[in-house]
């Protein structure tokens, strides 16, 4: 019974971590620069459970994702060569992944409560 209880608790926690990562990733997606779609389509969420510890990771697997994320954005709004729109369009922001999670930080306790409640209703 204890083993089953620990397994259920682990799944609850995984669901709660996923809920936070999902919300933060969705907020970041609205600020992720889109040119060809490669960057935004390389988004991933990874959750690892190791005993009673659950960790999550949210990111982009495109080779250049870290460079774009860390770019200062000084060209934001300036015209790109060859009539290809403006840099960072349509709604791109530097540090988009960090900014997405900053945007939901105040909501994390609510997201966690809702995730645990939803899991309990399903069980």
């Amino acid at each position: 019974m204890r083993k089953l209880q620990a397994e259920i608790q682990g799944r609850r926690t995984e669901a709660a971590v996923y809920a936070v990562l999902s919300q933060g990733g969705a907020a970041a997606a609205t600020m992720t620069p889109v040119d060809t779609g490669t960057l935004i389509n390389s988004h991933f969420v990874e959750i690892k459970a190791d005993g009673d510890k659950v960790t999550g990771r949210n990111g982009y697997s495109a080779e250049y994702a870290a460079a774009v994320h860390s770019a200062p954005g000084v060209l934001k709004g300036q015209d790109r060569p060859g009539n290809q729109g403006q840099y960072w369009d349509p709604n791109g922001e530097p540090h988009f992944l960090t900014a997405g999670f900053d945007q939901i930080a105040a909501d994390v306790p609510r997201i966690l409560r809702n995730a645990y409640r939803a899991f309990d209703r399903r069980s």
Side-chain angles (χ1 to χ4, degrees), residues 29-45:
T30 66
M31 295 177 256
T32 302
V34 178
D35 183 17
T36 63
T38 300
L39 180 60
I40 192 79
N41 288 323
S42 74
H43 177 254
F44 69 87
V45 172

Side-chain angles (χ1 to χ4, degrees), residues 2-49:
R2 285 186 182 142
K3 185 177 179 181
L4 179 60
Q5 184 179 7
E7 186 177 318
I8 290 170
Q9 183 61 29
R11 287 189 195 144
R12 287 178 76 213
T13 302
E14 287 177 32
V17 169
Y18 181 80
V20 171
L21 293 175
S22 177
Q23 292 287 319
T30 66
M31 295 177 256
T32 302
V34 178
D35 183 17
T36 63
T38 300
L39 180 60
I40 192 79
N41 288 323
S42 74
H43 177 254
F44 69 87
V45 172
E46 177 181 273
I47 297 177
K48 290 184 181 179

Side-chain angles (χ1 to χ4, degrees), residues 3-120:
K3 185 177 179 181
L4 179 60
Q5 184 179 7
E7 186 177 318
I8 290 170
Q9 183 61 29
R11 287 189 195 144
R12 287 178 76 213
T13 302
E14 287 177 32
V17 169
Y18 181 80
V20 171
L21 293 175
S22 177
Q23 292 287 319
T30 66
M31 295 177 256
T32 302
V34 178
D35 183 17
T36 63
T38 300
L39 180 60
I40 192 79
N41 288 323
S42 74
H43 177 254
F44 69 87
V45 172
E46 177 181 273
I47 297 177
K48 290 184 181 179
D50 184 17
D52 61 350
K53 181 179 178 182
V54 177
T55 58
R57 193 168 74 124
N58 197 323
Y60 296 85
S61 62
E63 270 183 44
Y64 55 89
V68 173
H69 184 267
S70 298
V74 294
L75 297 177
K76 183 173 174 57
Q78 294 182 22
D79 291 333
R80 292 173 55 190
N83 290 331
Q84 294 183 331
Q86 295 179 328
Y87 287 102
W88 292 89
D89 270 353
N91 299 312
E93 295 287 334
H95 307 284
F96 47 90
L97 189 54
T98 304
F101 280 89
D102 287 347
Q103 193 174 52
I104 69 151
D107 295 328
V108 169
R110 180 190 52 77
I111 294 167
L112 291 172
R113 271 193 310 277
N114 290 345
Y116 278 115
R117 285 181 189 144
F119 186 89
D120 289 343

